[in-house]
Amino acid sequence: VNFYFDGHRPFKPLPYGQAYAMLEWGMNWCIANHAHHFLILHSAVLEKNGKSVVLPAPQGSGKSTLCAALAGKGWRLLSDELALISLKTGELHPCTKPINLKNDSINIIKSFLPDSVNSNLFKDTHKGTVSLFKPNEHSSSRSWQACSPDFVIFPRYIKDSSIELKPMHQSEAFIQLIENSFNYDVLGSDGFEAMCAFTDKVDFYQFSYSSLDDAIAVFDNVINE
Amino acid sequence: MLLLTILKNPDEAKNLNELEWELLVRQARAANLLGRLGYLFELNNVSQFIDDIYLWHFTAARQLSEKLKTTALREVDELKSALNKIDVQPVFLKGAAYILADLPCHHGRLMSDIDLLVKKESLSKVQNHLLLFGWVSTPIEDYDRKYYKTWMHEIPPLQHASRKTTLDVHHNILPLTNKNTIDPNLLNVKSVYHSWCGNILTLDPLDAVIHSSVHLFTESEFHNALRDLSDLDMLLRHFKAQNNLFIYDLVDRANELKLGNYLALTLRYTSLVLSTPIDSDATAKLNKTNQSAVSTVFWDFCFMHIFTPIHPSTKTWKTVFASNILYWRGHMLRMPLKLLIPHLLMKSYMQIKDSFKKAPKDEKLP
């Protein structure tokens, strides 16, 4: 199966069975490579009661799993991959799409959220087995609604660890966010200014967890404080 | 065609409906003109009438254009100081020159590589010296290397080892095998001041327009045909606003360099496609090969079908036919048939050989 962007074919074809996974990756590629009116971070973004949380994390940190768990327990999903920070307003813009779950996360989320709707399994992709998780109605019906940034939480799943949430210094977070950005280098001084404005507005935390229930309790606590 | 309508009259963007906007964005992207339209919207005070859901495509392209320009200026600065050490004053051409001389067509333009001109005598000195600064020759077959060296007006592209920017070093503006090739010493250079790079050499306005004309109308593959024609349109309008007799001077200059045929094509198609104001009595003085009415109709057909965005919405048998004819035209201009035929046979052989070993270049999936 092929992915076409305005007549161009940016990727090699994949087996037919991976079509939906490819569509989701292709759409992310389109946004990350073209939407330079946003400062784009590789992060999940969720919102509850008017408070937003950005979860930047490298692959393997459990970001998507945590994101799906939150989205299944009353949080609004803005994105599982791309935090879009408007250069004009500083607000976070949604790009609500199915959450891309990989390998072990698929079964973890299935048992954590028995009512969740998943796609078929796409096996042997370049990221292993992949399944797409349907966001709740609440997220998709408000996919036009931006929100102001409040918290940035760097999550890390550590097996059998106890839960830990500790504040993080702005300057350290700033560097990590730059490394995490898709287009910071494209935006030049506009990117620097947007990043400064963003880091001034939010509180930063480092967070490690092993249980999803505990993690959600901590997140609810953070936004209610 | 929608893109041409809006390029000529950005004000009409105010009246577009949703489907037309979608088409405009796609055509403009295919023609590499999103950023330029963004600039024209701003210049004509149209931006504030455009809904954000359409406008962002143009704004985002301008962001990218700014980034590429900064990258280019940095390279210009590096190249200038590197070459000054061996007493070579490079003359910057095309995109880099548009930025350095602050010509309106640099706004929103997506630069790809840097073109510079040096004296042929200093070519090997320049190439060896640039190597010290990290500019290396891109991998190239021996046959191609020889082809460049013997016949072309430039050396094979150089790439910076760490910054990955591409550089085309020219010693002339036309291939040596083109029958109109000129003595590059005849070109007039002009020093311009740029706040970052200081005093820099570019071609003077007349020769810059002539070079851009020659460059466009000797192409055989027209990837950016409409963008390049729009560059020429903006250059002509800009210089004419400064000097009302500019087109007359341009005609005199093209006659002097015996490049009237190329300028004739620029003047004809900028005015036909983009309504550039061209003084007809100036055109009448241009020395060019006389064409029969039939061949004028034929070449009009080809060029009018190449100055479109290459996009599914504009692709027909006519555009395919036109690009094939112009592909051959470009090759025939580049060299006489007795050189061209063996060259193309060699290239086909190399292509077939390569198709067995080289994989196509693809983006990595995110």
Side-chain angles (χ1 to χ4, degrees):
Chain A
V1 65
N2 276 304
F3 179 88
Y4 283 94
F5 172 65
D6 253 352
H8 288 285
R9 204 184 60 175
F11 312 112
K12 285 195 181 87
L14 289 183
Y16 179 71
Q18 300 178 13
Y20 278 108
M22 187 185 209
L23 178 64
E24 202 263 336
W25 285 320
M27 286 162 78
N28 284 338
W29 176 85
C30 288
I31 297 170
N33 283 281
H34 298 93
H36 302 306
H37 56 317
F38 293 120
L39 171 62
I40 307 176
L41 309 179
H42 184 200
S43 310
V45 188
L46 298 116
E47 177 260 343
K48 192 176 179 182
N49 301 339
K51 296 282 181 190
S52 69
V53 175
V54 172
L55 305 174
Q59 262 179 38
S61 60
K63 172 195 64 158
S64 297
T65 321
L66 183 56
C67 171
L70 287 162
K73 296 280 185 184
W75 286 69
R76 169 163 81 107
L77 173 75
L78 281 84
S79 174
D80 69 322
E81 282 285 350
L82 303 169
L84 306 176
I85 304 166
S86 164
L87 294 183
K88 221 155 114 186
T89 64
E91 286 187 312
L92 289 162
H93 282 246
C95 58
T96 319
K97 286 191 277 84
I99 299 173
N100 186 314
L101 293 176
K102 282 151 251 147
N103 305 317
D104 296 345
S105 331
I106 302 169
N107 283 327
I108 295 172
I109 290 299
K110 252 186 196 154
S111 55
F112 186 72
L113 301 165
D115 296 336
S116 64
V117 180
N118 284 1
S119 70
N120 297 336
L121 298 181
F122 311 120
K123 291 185 177 149
D124 301 322
T125 74
H126 66 298
K127 292 186 177 173
T129 303
V130 164
S131 175
L132 299 174
F133 166 99
K134 185 181 178 181
N136 55 30
E137 179 60 29
H138 172 58
S139 303
S140 44
S141 65
R142 284 165 63 197
S143 63
W144 47 269
Q145 194 179 15
C147 61
S148 65
D150 297 298
F151 301 99
V152 174
I153 302 180
F154 291 86
R156 203 146 72 100
Y157 172 82
I158 304 173
K159 198 169 186 300
D160 300 327
S161 69
S162 58
I163 205 141
E164 190 184 30
L165 180 76
K166 56 176 188 197
M168 192 179 173
H169 198 272
Q170 196 190 24
S171 57
E172 190 193 343
F174 192 96
I175 305 293
Q176 289 204 25
L177 288 183
I178 289 175
E179 286 170 5
N180 196 264
S181 171
F182 281 113
N183 67 343
Y184 182 78
D185 63 319
V186 172
L187 301 179
S189 58
D190 289 341
F192 177 73
E193 277 163 31
M195 194 66 98
C196 290
F198 180 77
T199 50
D200 279 344
K201 266 184 260 177
V202 299
D203 292 329
F204 292 99
Y205 293 100
Q206 260 169 339
F207 176 60
S208 50
Y209 71 101
S210 58
S211 136
L212 286 173
D213 277 316
D214 293 350
I216 291 171
V218 168
F219 273 64
D220 283 330
N221 209 14
V222 164
I223 59 163
N224 289 326
E225 256 172 24
Chain B
M1 206 204 28
L2 183 60
L3 177 59
L4 292 178
T5 313
I6 304 298
L7 263 182
K8 282 187 279 190
N9 195 353
D11 220 43
E12 289 200 19
K14 289 178 191 168
N15 309 319
L16 299 182
N17 63 31
E18 192 180 343
L19 284 177
E20 289 167 330
W21 271 114
E22 196 205 321
L23 185 63
L24 179 66
V25 167
R26 299 175 67 197
Q27 290 187 345
R29 194 192 308 282
N32 242 331
L33 282 169
L34 274 173
R36 169 148 310 160
L37 271 187
Y39 165 70
L40 292 175
F41 289 150
E42 199 176 288
L43 187 72
N44 293 279
N45 295 316
V46 184
S47 303
Q48 65 264 37
F49 299 99
I50 302 174
D51 197 317
D52 273 348
I53 62 169
Y54 311 126
L55 190 64
W56 76 261
H57 292 278
F58 304 92
T59 324
R62 287 196 71 185
Q63 287 282 0
L64 185 59
S65 152
E66 286 305 313
K67 142 88 180 171
L68 296 174
K69 272 193 263 179
T70 310
T71 309
L73 283 172
R74 193 238 161 116
E75 298 304 346
V76 169
D77 197 39
E78 300 267 354
L79 288 163
K80 180 192 165 189
S81 55
L83 292 177
N84 283 356
K85 292 193 175 77
I86 49 167
D87 291 322
V88 169
Q89 298 251 317
V91 180
F92 287 89
L93 307 172
K94 300 259 307 177
Y98 301 155
I99 308 172
L100 294 165
D102 194 19
L103 298 171
C105 58
H106 79 75
H107 294 285
R109 194 173 187 277
L110 297 179
M111 296 257 324
S112 50
D113 41 21
I114 294 175
D115 297 286
L116 59 81
L117 178 74
V118 296
K119 299 253 181 269
K120 195 169 185 205
E121 310 82 86
S122 55
L123 257 187
S124 64
K125 187 170 73 166
V126 164
Q127 202 171 350
N128 289 336
H129 190 69
L130 286 179
L131 188 61
L132 297 178
F133 287 81
W135 295 95
V136 291
S137 194
T138 45
I140 182 170
E141 299 275 349
D142 288 346
Y143 173 79
D144 290 327
R145 189 180 303 283
K146 194 172 158 241
Y147 165 82
Y148 271 101
K149 202 177 162 108
T150 327
W151 294 322
M152 284 299 109
H153 52 305
E154 58 188 329
I155 62 173
L158 302 179
Q159 192 179 47
H160 193 274
S162 56
R163 299 193 296 270
K164 301 295 169 202
T165 40
T166 312
L167 178 65
D168 284 331
V169 180
H170 302 248
H171 54 83
N172 201 334
I173 62 169
L174 274 169
L176 310 178
T177 41
N178 176 300
K179 64 175 191 226
N180 297 110
T181 199
I182 61 163
D183 173 2
N185 293 318
L186 296 176
L187 291 168
N188 291 326
V189 295
K190 181 188 171 191
S191 175
V192 294
Y193 179 79
H194 186 274
S195 55
W196 182 352
C197 309
N199 288 315
I200 296 270
L201 296 183
T202 62
L203 292 177
D204 81 351
L206 294 171
D207 287 1
V209 172
I210 287 172
H211 171 235
S212 296
S213 303
V214 164
H215 194 274
L216 175 59
F217 288 102
T218 48
E219 287 284 4
S220 47
E221 287 171 58
F222 288 80
H223 297 302
N224 276 316
L226 190 56
R227 198 274 313 265
D228 292 347
L229 192 73
S230 167
D231 284 346
L232 281 161
D233 164 67
M234 289 177 86
L235 290 173
L236 291 171
R237 286 175 196 265
H238 173 75
F239 290 131
K240 194 172 149 72
Q242 291 185 333
N243 162 16
N244 200 30
L245 295 176
F246 183 77
I247 309 283
Y248 292 87
D249 296 345
L250 193 59
V251 166
D252 290 344
R253 180 64 181 154
N255 288 342
E256 203 175 307
L257 294 173
K258 300 195 174 63
L259 293 172
N261 282 340
Y262 295 106
L263 184 65
L265 292 167
T266 294
L267 299 181
R268 180 165 184 82
Y269 295 110
T270 49
S271 73
L272 279 176
V273 179
L274 296 165
S275 310
T276 319
I278 307 290
D279 314 79
S280 55
D281 45 343
T283 323
K285 286 202 286 181
L286 197 58
N287 297 333
K288 55 177 198 277
T289 317
N290 282 324
Q291 263 184 352
S292 69
V294 177
S295 60
T296 306
V297 169
F298 176 77
W299 290 114
D300 275 0
F301 175 89
C302 291
F303 280 115
M304 295 304 274
H305 282 96
I306 209 72
F307 292 123
T308 60
I310 306 302
H311 184 266
S313 72
T314 54
K315 193 174 174 179
T316 62
W317 69 268
K318 295 175 191 171
T319 51
V320 174
F321 175 78
S323 56
N324 277 312
I325 294 290
L326 291 174
Y327 176 82
W328 283 102
R329 174 186 172 276
H331 279 299
M332 308 276 279
L333 285 174
R334 199 164 305 147
M335 45 176 62
L337 270 179
K338 67 173 199 268
L339 292 176
L340 181 63
I341 290 169
H343 170 64
L344 289 178
L345 283 173
M346 187 63 188
K347 288 302 281 187
S348 322
Y349 165 71
M350 287 165 66
Q351 235 169 30
I352 293 165
K353 202 178 66 178
D354 279 3
S355 64
F356 290 108
K357 56 180 189 192
K358 272 187 206 156
K361 193 181 150 234
D362 282 298
E363 292 275 348
K364 237 179 97 189
L365 272 168

